[in-house]
Amino acid sequence: MPHAPQYPYEPERPPVAVQLNHTAVYARDQRLSAEFIAVILGLDVGAPFGPFLPVDLGNGVTLDYYEKRDEPIQTQHYAFLVPDEQFDLVIARLEAVGVTYYADPRQTEPGRINRLFGGRGAYFADPAGHNMEIMTRPYDRP
């Protein structure tokens, strides 16, 4: 297992509990993208906060949609852990709005799901082209 380098100016310190609070998600149309993920995941779009349109994921983390109309958007990957009993509902919502889902991140297996790590998962693109993932079990990491 790789060891984090120790820098001479950084004294030994106890582990700190760090949690992700929010992340900016770039979109050509922030309302379209925020409403899309909110509908698919069964969430609500929050009130605008400055230039951001937040979607609260329910675990203290928000996706803060930020509109970039005049610049290219570098697509990102966002993975969402969903309860097993909600997975079929999310798939049904994708089908209802005509969005193809895939079993793999390269999106070569349309209309199929995966069964990684004893759970179920799928990938789909959002309106900005981000590669979204839903899964019912987190990845087993060494």
Side-chain angles (χ1 to χ4, degrees), residues 125-137:
D126 84 338
H130 297 298
N131 190 14
M132 305 301 206
E133 177 182 8
I134 55 170
M135 58 185 169
T136 61
R137 299 278 186 283

Side-chain angles (χ1 to χ4, degrees), residues 50-125:
F52 302 103
L53 191 57
V55 175
D56 184 346
L57 299 179
N59 63 342
V61 178
T62 59
L63 299 178
D64 291 340
Y65 282 85
Y66 181 80
E67 202 159 282
K68 285 179 72 171
R69 291 189 179 260
D70 300 326
E71 300 174 49
I73 294 175
Q74 175 66 44
T75 58
Q76 300 292 320
H77 172 70
Y78 298 92
F80 305 97
L81 187 60
V82 299
D84 192 61
E85 60 274 6
Q86 295 294 313
F87 185 84
D88 292 329
L89 185 55
V90 173
I91 292 294
R93 289 181 188 131
L94 288 167
E95 291 172 341
V97 298
V99 172
T100 302
Y101 57 90
Y102 301 83
D104 63 311
R106 294 182 189 259
Q107 300 184 349
T108 63
E109 299 179 55
R112 297 181 56 203
I113 66 167
N114 65 57
R115 297 197 176 273
L116 298 173
F117 307 105
R120 297 183 291 164
Y123 298 83
F124 58 96

